[in-house]
Amino acid sequence: MSRNPCCCIKNRILCLLGEIAFDIVAARCYFLLSVELMELLKKQILTALMRRDYKPMGPRKLSVAMGIPAEEFSTFQAAVEQMRSRGQVVIDAKKHISLPAMGHRVVGTFRANPRGFGFVIPLEANAYGDLYVGAADTAGAMNNDVVVARAIKSGRRDGQTRYSGAVIDIVERGNDRFVGTLQKNKSLWFVQPEGKGHFEPILIDDAPSSGAKADDKVIVEIISWPDETMPARGAIVKVLGRAGQYDAEIMSIITRYGLSEEFDEACRSQARDAVEGFKPDDVAGRSDITDEVIVTIDPPDAKDFDDAISLKKDADGNWVLGVHIADVSHFIKQNSPLDKEAKHRGNSVYLPQKVLPMLPEILSNGLCSLQPDRKRFAKSAYITYDPEGNILAREFDNSIICSKKRLAYLEVDAILKGNAEGYAGEVVALLKDMEQLARAIEKRREKNGMLHLDLPEIELEYDDDGQVCDAHPADDCYPHTMIEMFMVEANDAVASLLDRFGVPFMRRIHPDPDAMTQKNLGRFVKMCGLKIPRHLDRHVIQDLLAAVKDTPMSYAVNTHVLRSMQKAEYSPLHIGHFALASTHYCHFTSPIRRYADLLVHRLIDCYVKGVLNKIGLEEVLTEAELIEIGKHITFTELQAAEAEKELKTVLLLQMLTERVGEELNCVVSGLTNFGVFVQCTKFGIEGMIEPGDLGLDEWKFDERSQSVIGKWSGESVHLGEPMKVKIAAVNVAARQLFLMPAEPLVKERPTLNRRKYKRKHHARKKRRK
């Protein structure tokens, strides 16, 4: 049969249009990624220029200092030129790059201090940093307000002009609702807002009519803002409960961080339909592996089991690891009510004794959870290894599994150490094989430069009434590392597959630390008495962490290594994961609790069904969509971590109010002119020692040596040194713990030889000239 020539021409035209459309989409995607990479580079340049030790230098020298590869210098120059044209940087006659000078008017965020003064953090970086505002010049600004301040020259120090400021306008209020404890002073009712940062009390006019009582935790809405003469006034809009009680404290955190708790009817209805429609025997399009030995390993109180493990040997004697992940994407269709809600929440939030799930609990703890002896749908990643843990092959499948055993980490640790009585032989054999393979994988990844920081989590202990009575570092037995290795390998495998197909997807990225930050880390390490090479690559950092393991310096060094790194985030940018030494990386293993994983699962489903290479799939989001979603879920992840950290701090501080005067073992974690910060190794909480409590001397922070030094005695406090302290006072509302050394560093004020001091001081001034 002959072909219709018109049809042939039509098909050719459609094919050509399709190619043109694909080229346009590809070009747009490339453009968006280039823009995102450029913005990332500009952010790194600003960070470098804002450092206190930065001295203006030319572009070539700055790019070298930042560790920019020579082949990327033209991109670096383009970024600098864009920043210059927008007024973000200035370039002088010598071609030196610096931040703009302090303008007469500065727009920024106001940060209040309990002593009445504050600072304006400029929205646009300048060469002089934050602007000090005296107590008389705040104009009623409250913490987190966006303000306009007038900059006033206030002298010179160390050869630089110093500025102070006066707030002249409040552009935008940071908050109009606050959470705090209702208090009464004679006839006046007021609420003291809680949280980090200083907030003045808010007067309450309608306290009796709201039903609230003194010492109730309440939500207050501002009626009139403060000015130079009058404090803010507000109305109580909700009573959360008695201050100090767990329910009131947790509702306070949920409110302040804007966390979602309840699901609407559309979400609940979709979840119910999924449960009612689940047919475990309908395995069409899935591999039935319910007879295989598969186990889950999680914390003892976990209910949302995302991942399960199988392991066997193939005909060639190679390991075949199966990482089986709950197939959430089967139940949560794209753009459905639950998909939109999961995107909004971004992730589950794990608070002490309470979880705010990303998905309704009948899914997160029920249908999707890989419970023992229950048939469950899964996405399975199979990775084949040789006996040394080198990857030979990777495969993916849709499956139905049935976990044979639900295990906890410490339980597995006991089994691996020989306490296996009462466990099925096939489960014990599986666990021993898992340990053998995990150690081989860990050895390979460490050889490639993977970093492991020794900063243990803190677990709270509760009494019979649910109050925190103690805390201890969480266990870090090897099964934690075992599961971590398998999850990292699966994430790596999935990202490698998606990169092979060239589709945009949500990655988990961790940029390399910049050269200037690494230089400061090297300076700190040398002050600790450790010798390291000038260039700090992954392997040098590995050796450093190994050298301080189980020593008093361990906490401080691990903390400084962490601070020297950039934060991991979600983005479609292909820049790898520094800490894991992975070129390809995404999150795949926790779709019950992370939206990023759910996005990746939809792409894996397309791959398994053989359609991932087709154009126009709704599961393949554009880079623009992924960039926006990535920013949002990175923010929700940080919010969840901050909320968990703050609630833990509140519960610990409440416990410590009953222990004023007790001694704590701490490590010096931060130094400033207004105090020494120390971290309690047992409770994981940070407190401050005011300079006057260190001992009978005048104490000053020396930035170069990173120490606080007594002017007359010469006694000093250095970062990372252990210190025994006493609890001096606790301010739960402000999240502050005040400490003092168990024994003063200087017990008697040294006698001053004024003639000798005058000669030394004169000689020092002469050297400066």
Side-chain angles (χ1 to χ4, degrees), residues 311-332:
L311 182 61
K312 56 187 179 183
K313 286 196 172 183
D314 63 13
D316 298 322
N318 295 314
W319 295 110
V320 180
L321 171 69
V323 179
H324 312 283
I325 308 300
D327 192 356
V328 177
S329 63
H330 177 81
F331 304 103
I332 311 298

Side-chain angles (χ1 to χ4, degrees), residues 508-525:
R508 181 66 167 178
I509 64 170
H510 187 216
D512 291 7
D514 65 78
M516 298 181 85
T517 303
Q518 285 192 318
K519 183 179 177 182
N520 273 2
L521 173 63
R523 186 184 301 151
F524 165 75
V525 170

Side-chain angles (χ1 to χ4, degrees), residues 375-528:
K375 289 185 177 180
R376 292 289 185 256
F377 289 170
K379 290 268 188 285
S380 296
Y382 296 100
I383 310 173
T384 303
Y385 299 90
D386 66 17
E388 284 72 45
N390 298 306
I391 298 171
L392 302 176
R394 293 157 165 167
E395 296 177 25
F396 304 89
D397 201 3
N398 285 335
S399 63
I400 183 166
I401 72 168
C402 184
S403 169
K404 294 293 185 286
K405 189 72 176 174
R406 177 261 195 273
L407 298 161
Y409 289 110
L410 286 174
E411 190 179 3
V412 173
D413 191 49
I415 293 170
L416 294 176
K417 290 176 178 175
N419 190 7
E421 188 176 347
Y423 294 91
E426 60 184 6
V427 170
V428 175
L430 170 63
L431 294 176
K432 289 184 177 178
D433 287 346
M434 285 167 61
E435 180 185 22
Q436 184 179 344
L437 176 60
R439 291 192 184 277
I441 292 171
E442 184 182 19
K443 185 176 180 181
R444 167 176 58 80
R445 294 195 73 93
E446 286 182 343
K447 186 178 179 182
N448 292 338
M450 180 184 71
L451 302 176
H452 177 75
L453 295 177
D454 187 13
L455 291 168
E457 291 287 319
I458 299 298
E459 286 188 357
L460 305 180
E461 298 176 18
Y462 303 88
D463 60 21
D464 294 337
D465 297 324
Q467 299 294 313
V468 172
C469 59
D470 208 345
H472 62 270
D475 82 89
D476 59 351
C477 58
Y478 193 73
H480 285 278
T481 303
M482 194 162 74
I483 294 300
E484 180 188 354
M485 290 299 99
F486 297 155
M487 298 304 109
V488 167
E489 290 285 283
N491 290 335
D492 200 312
V494 168
S496 297
L497 171 78
L498 297 178
D499 267 329
R500 202 165 74 237
F501 274 79
V503 296
F505 63 97
M506 188 64 74
R507 303 172 191 270
R508 181 66 167 178
I509 64 170
H510 187 216
D512 291 7
D514 65 78
M516 298 181 85
T517 303
Q518 285 192 318
K519 183 179 177 182
N520 273 2
L521 173 63
R523 186 184 301 151
F524 165 75
V525 170
K526 286 177 182 176
M527 284 190 295
C528 294

